[in-house]
Amino acid sequence: MKFNTKTIHGGQHHEPHTGAVMPPVFQTSTFAQKSPGVLINGYEYSRGANPTRTALEDALASIENGSRGLAFSSGLAATDCVMKLLKPNDEVIAMDDLYGGTYRMFTRIYQDMGIKFHFVDMNDLDKFQSLINENTKLVWIETPTNPLMKVVDIEAIGKITKAKNILFAVDNTFATPYLQRPIDLGADIVMHSATKYLGGHSDVIAGALIIKDAELGDKMHFLQFATGATLGPQDAYLVLRGIKTLHLRVQRHSENGQKVAEYLAKHPKVAKVYYPGLENHPNHDVAKKQMNGGFGGMVSFTFKSEDKADAIKFLESVKVFTLAESLGGVESLANHPALMTHASIPEPKRKEIGITDDLVRLSVGIEDIEDIIKDIEQAFN
Ligand SMILES: *Cc1c(COP(=O)(O)O)cnc(C)c1O
């Protein structure tokens, strides 16, 4: 099956009793048994499995080419489940530009539990390799990164982690499997904030893991079941519904994102534009190699004035864009990373990696591109 068919049919079956094309929302906590311990259709208690969630989990496995999909109550709950594979003294090497909440979980929760983290720009493969030792158990990346749109060569990292028997996890929230499928490129685990493009309509908080290896998939299902941050059936339904149009939406997000990036790159008030689809992006070649069909809808930029006040005025002036956290919904959103999504990263660290106070991040929606560009134009004036 091609990707654009998998989003609709991957792992899906008609509901056996009625032929319902979409799975009902099985709003039930528990399932009747024939005899103690003898289940009717494998379902026992909804924390372990629920048919609506199963439909979503099978769709997730299909679109990311994994053997197992797991749906969580948030993206961070999904990440947390991966971290539970680790033990004190284990080491993690992570990309130096990460979603703020991921960085916060690593440094304020798991670091205190005895896990050691190294943050490094993984475009520097030598530096990355120099940090590997016998305690290294996990490599964690995002690509493109949030909010600076750095691109990491998944295949290059995957070769190294495979040779050293280190788990390799990729947060694929920004690219989505429409543009990039990390498991095909050497990742062991794909993580999603399904709140973003997978759900796609800004109406649900959800997370996902897709695991390449079936045995590791079973282990992660055990962790999900045993710690309990599962996705409810109503929310699972919403994410599954979103996935049905993922290919169409991300195609348009990418077209609009490219046009916005090109417009900003020519704007006299703009200093830097961060977008992997621009030829002058430092990792444009890697992006072209591993992303297919576009470069996504996320665009960040800074002002020539370097003035925080200009960024704030821009964000107060947009009308088609809504000033709000989050991303990946059909509607355009604008955000100030330093004050909003990335405020949890200490200021010196923010400055060091380039999240300056004049940085604006746009989640370009699927409205008409003329309205989007006009809105940006008026917000600069
Ligand atoms: C939003 C986001 C997360 C966290 O997901 P939640 O659903 O908010 O818990 C993780 N990674 C990236 C890249 C995100 O954008």
Side-chain angles (χ1 to χ4, degrees), residues 256-296:
N256 286 355
Q258 183 77 33
K259 285 178 186 151
V260 165
E262 285 168 7
Y263 170 82
L264 289 170
K266 291 197 194 108
H267 198 282
K269 289 192 178 167
V270 171
K272 280 190 218 138
V273 182
Y274 299 93
Y275 187 72
L278 293 179
E279 265 167 37
N280 66 0
H281 184 286
N283 317 115
H284 180 63
D285 288 342
V286 177
K288 263 204 316 213
K289 184 181 78 163
Q290 70 188 15
M291 300 174 82
N292 297 298
F295 300 93

Side-chain angles (χ1 to χ4, degrees), residues 1 5-15 21-23 51-60 62 240 243-244:
M1 244 190 258
T5 310
K6 281 186 175 180
T7 55
I8 296 161
H9 297 292
Q12 304 306 296
H13 318 280
H14 300 158
E15 197 276 321
V21 170
M22 280 299 278
T52 316
R53 199 173 90 224
T54 302
L56 168 62
E57 291 178 335
D58 290 349
L60 290 165
S62 170
L240 183 64
I243 287 172
K244 305 267 170 185

Side-chain angles (χ1 to χ4, degrees), residues 202-346:
S202 304
D203 53 7
V204 62
I205 297 279
L209 294 179
I210 300 94
I211 301 106
K212 179 181 180 180
D213 175 66
E215 210 175 301
L216 181 62
D218 288 345
K219 191 168 173 185
M220 306 246 32
H221 174 251
F222 168 78
L223 287 172
Q224 182 198 39
F225 166 70
T227 61
T230 53
L231 190 63
Q234 180 75 43
D235 288 346
Y237 179 88
L238 287 172
V239 176
L240 183 64
R241 177 193 243 244
I243 287 172
K244 305 267 170 185
T245 56
L246 179 70
H247 50 305
L248 296 174
R249 287 184 288 106
V250 179
Q251 186 178 19
R252 182 62 62 85
H253 280 294
S254 297
E255 283 167 19
N256 286 355
Q258 183 77 33
K259 285 178 186 151
V260 165
E262 285 168 7
Y263 170 82
L264 289 170
K266 291 197 194 108
H267 198 282
K269 289 192 178 167
V270 171
K272 280 190 218 138
V273 182
Y274 299 93
Y275 187 72
L278 293 179
E279 265 167 37
N280 66 0
H281 184 286
N283 317 115
H284 180 63
D285 288 342
V286 177
K288 263 204 316 213
K289 184 181 78 163
Q290 70 188 15
M291 300 174 82
N292 297 298
F295 300 93
M298 298 304 296
V299 185
S300 297
F301 68 96
T302 59
F303 289 78
K304 278 202 182 127
S305 63
E306 296 180 17
D307 190 348
K308 179 181 184 177
D310 280 343
I312 289 175
K313 190 191 142 275
F314 178 92
L315 290 165
E316 287 173 350
S317 307
V318 284
K319 295 188 178 78
V320 174
F321 284 83
T322 300
L323 173 59
E325 296 201 1
S326 200
L327 60 108
V330 290
E331 64 289 285
S332 291
L333 300 179
N335 161 50
H336 189 276
L339 290 174
M340 296 164 68
T341 46
H342 291 68
S344 58
I345 300 176

Side-chain angles (χ1 to χ4, degrees), residues 123-178:
N123 284 301
D124 187 342
L125 285 178
D126 290 338
K127 196 162 174 205
F128 163 61
Q129 278 180 285
S130 74
L131 294 169
I132 296 176
N133 62 45
E134 70 273 16
N135 293 329
T136 311
K137 294 287 154 56
L138 175 71
V139 169
W140 184 280
I141 68 164
E142 280 175 31
T143 178
T145 64
N146 179 6
L148 294 171
M149 313 301 155
K150 287 187 192 173
V151 172
V152 184
D153 190 334
I154 299 172
E155 210 172 2
I157 302 283
K159 278 196 187 123
I160 298 166
T161 53
K162 191 158 186 216
K164 307 248 168 175
N165 210 13
I166 299 166
L167 271 184
F168 178 27
V170 178
D171 179 341
N172 204 29
T173 300
F174 269 37
T176 83
Y178 174 77

